[in-house]
């Protein structure tokens, strides 16, 4: 089956470059969804569009057998591309808040879509080699943490036979050509918290008449740095980042409120809950210490579930990868990023595994590793400079989908 990959290489590379040059924000992926739906229909799949907004589901039925679901996410990011590639994105759009923003596929979702559509083309062209059903799921708004749940809420389970197994993959900042699995927790759960604290406004020359929310917010930020280092057991993974702090509009005005936005990550709900409890305790205590005139407001949003790979499914996929990719198949270990993919198999009640593929020029990565400068010289996901090399990234991503699927569907 994979012997047919060279024949479609030019088409797939052109498709990838086109997707890269035309990114779309979450829940705005109308062009990408249309391209995907057209390609799925071309190869005989039963296609459902507009699932949960812009989601697409294609079902390739090929006789009796197991059902395999493979997901690819479609959305881009509000990042201005700085790769210098001839097919770099120059697109802009208006986000949900009405703000004009640049657009870039800074997380490699264009690789995921192109790889899945390539795998569909290979599976559809060699149906004598397998039996069962392959489901291609193109998901919107992974970056907003709600694309998967919207597809589920839209009746996803009624559009496809119940899968026996579900897969997803992600291009990462590892050498292109490599593929990595990991049993158990693979991606962290995540939750963001918006904290609004209140002071009493005044003129900058009269601080004695104010309760300064800038000082209050600063004290909260400093105190939060002790949560992971002093409240989470050593050996447990936990991240607490204050990514945004907004207060004031002019140097000589003491404002009456400040807003903090926090991001929490862990590999267990218990650790996540421990951090949330500590955040609320610290915020309320600092407000009391500052004489805040109002209770603070805490709002959770952008919740990502834990991605924990089923051991049996992951072992089976890992064995198939080792057989096909040889030494290029490895264990990538736990990753600190987060995903909403697991919402789909959890809702359908099926086991799953999620793996990574490398996308960085192998020579660039090797040289940086030898110098000990990987973090400085190799752009990671969400960076303006993140640019997976076209090959062997696409070949690896496509082969990984086919190899994993055939571990369940091969006749």
């Amino acid at each position: 089956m994979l012997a047919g990959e060279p024949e479609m290489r030019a088409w797939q590379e052109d498709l990838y470059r086109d997707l890269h040059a035309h990114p779309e924000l979450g829940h705005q992926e109308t062009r990408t969804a249309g391209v995907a739906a057209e390609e799925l229909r071309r190869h005989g799949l039963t296609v459902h569009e507009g699932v949960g907004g812009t989601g697409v589901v294609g079902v390739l039925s090929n006789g009796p057998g197991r059902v395999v679901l493979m997901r690819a996410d479609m959305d881009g990011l509000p990042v201005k591309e700085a790769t210098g590639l001839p097919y770099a994105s120059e697109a802009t759009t208006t986000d949900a808040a009405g703000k004009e923003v640049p657009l870039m596929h800074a997380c490699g979702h264009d690789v995921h879509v192109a790889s899945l559509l390539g795998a569909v083309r290979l599976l559809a062209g060699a149906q004598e080699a397998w039996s069962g059903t392959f489901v291609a799921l193109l998901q919107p708004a992974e970056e907003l943490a709600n694309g998967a749940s919207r597809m589920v809420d839209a009746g996803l389970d009624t559009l496809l036979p119940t899968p026996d197994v579900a897969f997803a993959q992600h291009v990462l900042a590892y050498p292109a050509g490599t593929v990595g699995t990991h049993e158990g927790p693979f991606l962290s759960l995540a939750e963001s918290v918006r904290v609004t604290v209140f002071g009493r406004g005044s003129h900058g020359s009269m601080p004695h008449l104010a309760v300064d929310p800038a000082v209050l917010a600063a004290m909260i930020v400093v105190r939060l740095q002790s949560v992971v280092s002093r409240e989470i057991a050593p050996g447990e993974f936990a991240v607490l980042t204050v990514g945004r702090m907004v207060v004031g509009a002019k140097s000589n005005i003491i404002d009456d409120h400040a807003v903090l936005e926090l991001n929490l990550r862990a590999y267990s709900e218990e650790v996540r809950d421990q951090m949330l409890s500590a955040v609320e305790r610290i915020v309320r205590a600092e407000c009391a210490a500052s004489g805040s005139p109002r209770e603070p407001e805490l709002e959770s949003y952008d919740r990502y579930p834990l991605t924990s790979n089923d051991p049996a499914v992951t072992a089976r996929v890992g064995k198939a990868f080792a057989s096909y990719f040889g030494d290029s198949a490895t264990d990538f270990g736990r990753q600190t990023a987060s995903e909403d993919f697991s919402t789909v198999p959890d809702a359908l009640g099926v086991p799953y595994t999620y793996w990574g593929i490398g996308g960085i020029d192998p020579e660039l990565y090797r040289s940086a590793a030898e110098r000990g400068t990987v973090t400085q010289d190799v752009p990671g996901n969400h960076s303006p400079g993140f640019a997976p090399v076209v090959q062997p990234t696409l070949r690896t991503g496509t082969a990984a989908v086919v190899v994993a699927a055939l571990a369940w569907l091969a006749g």
Side-chain angles (χ1 to χ4, degrees):
M1 187 180 298
L2 288 168
E5 184 273 331
E7 297 177 10
M8 70 168 195
R9 191 173 298 167
W11 159 81
Q12 189 180 39
E13 291 179 358
D14 286 345
L15 170 66
Y16 166 71
R17 294 186 181 98
D18 177 72
L19 293 172
H20 187 87
H22 298 93
E24 296 168 297
L25 289 182
H27 299 305
Q28 298 181 18
E29 310 96 335
T30 53
R31 182 184 187 275
T32 306
V35 169
E38 181 181 357
E39 181 64 22
L40 295 176
R41 286 196 181 92
R42 182 177 292 116
H43 296 286
L45 280 73
T46 301
V47 177
H48 306 277
E49 296 183 78
V51 184
T54 52
V56 179
V57 177
V59 180
L60 179 59
S61 299
N62 187 34
R66 299 184 179 94
V67 179
V68 169
L69 181 150
M70 180 71 200
R71 189 229 52 179
D73 39 8
M74 300 186 291
D75 53 327
L77 287 161
V79 174
K80 185 172 178 59
E81 183 160 357
T83 63
L85 292 168
Y87 51 90
S89 169
E90 298 179 357
T92 61
T93 192
T94 302
D95 66 13
K99 179 182 177 183
E100 188 77 9
V101 295
L103 280 172
M104 179 189 174
H105 266 301
C107 204
H109 295 185
D110 45 356
V111 172
H112 308 164
V113 174
S115 295
L116 177 54
L117 294 179
V120 165
R121 180 174 284 214
L122 293 175
L123 288 163
Q127 294 186 46
E128 72 283 354
W130 61 279
S131 182
T133 300
F134 183 82
V135 178
L137 189 151
L138 287 299
Q139 180 203 308
E142 182 277 325
E143 299 290 355
L144 300 179
N146 60 17
S149 61
R150 288 197 185 183
M151 293 190 77
V152 169
D153 293 343
L156 176 65
D157 61 328
T158 67
L159 306 178
L160 67 160
T162 301
D164 292 279
V165 67
F167 302 141
Q169 68 178 354
H170 207 297
V171 62
L172 300 170
Y174 292 106
T178 58
V179 57
T181 59
H182 184 75
E183 294 183 14
F186 184 54
L187 302 178
S188 68
L189 58 81
E191 184 162 343
S192 293
V193 181
R194 183 175 295 109
V195 178
T196 304
V197 295
F198 300 94
R200 185 166 57 246
S202 181
H203 195 284
S205 67
M206 305 171 191
H208 59 292
L209 302 179
V211 173
D212 192 336
V215 176
L216 169 55
M219 296 304 294
I220 291 173
V221 171
V222 171
R223 188 64 181 268
L224 288 176
Q225 306 311 304
S226 68
V227 172
V228 173
S229 66
R230 290 297 177 268
E231 299 193 35
I232 305 300
E236 287 282 3
F237 168 78
V239 172
L240 196 167
T241 297
V242 180
R244 184 168 183 260
M245 182 169 69
V246 181
V247 59
K250 197 171 185 291
S251 63
N252 66 345
I253 298 174
I254 297 176
D255 209 343
D256 63 356
H257 74 284
V259 178
L260 304 170
E261 292 186 354
L262 287 55
N263 185 250
L264 286 66
R265 295 176 188 264
Y267 290 130
S268 75
E269 293 182 359
E270 292 77 14
V271 172
R272 186 270 316 274
D273 291 346
Q274 186 178 355
M275 285 195 289
L276 285 172
S277 177
V279 167
E280 182 170 1
R281 186 191 72 240
I282 288 170
V283 168
R284 294 192 183 280
E286 290 292 348
C287 286
S290 295
S292 178
R294 285 179 55 186
E295 288 294 309
E297 297 175 357
L298 293 89
E299 172 197 0
S300 291
Y301 65 100
D302 284 358
R303 294 179 175 177
Y304 285 93
L306 178 68
T307 302
S308 186
N309 287 336
D310 181 85
V313 171
T314 305
R316 187 167 178 170
V317 168
K319 182 178 179 181
F321 284 171
S323 176
Y324 181 77
F325 292 103
D327 292 341
S328 294
T330 184
D331 188 325
F332 276 172
R334 292 179 173 183
Q335 305 293 308
T336 56
S338 302
E339 254 275 13
D340 69 341
F341 156 72
S342 63
T343 299
V344 170
D346 286 349
L348 298 174
V350 301
Y352 66 85
T353 195
Y354 184 112
W355 64 81
I357 60 170
I360 303 302
D361 182 303
E363 181 58 28
L364 169 66
Y365 193 95
R366 184 192 64 78
S367 298
E370 288 179 352
R371 295 190 301 270
T373 59
V374 169
T375 56
Q376 296 95 329
D377 296 343
V378 176
N381 300 70
H382 289 214
S383 162
F386 185 69
V389 292
V390 177
Q391 298 295 0
T393 306
L394 290 178
R395 290 201 302 273
T396 304
T398 304
V401 176
V402 172
V403 169
L406 291 181
W408 270 260
L409 300 176

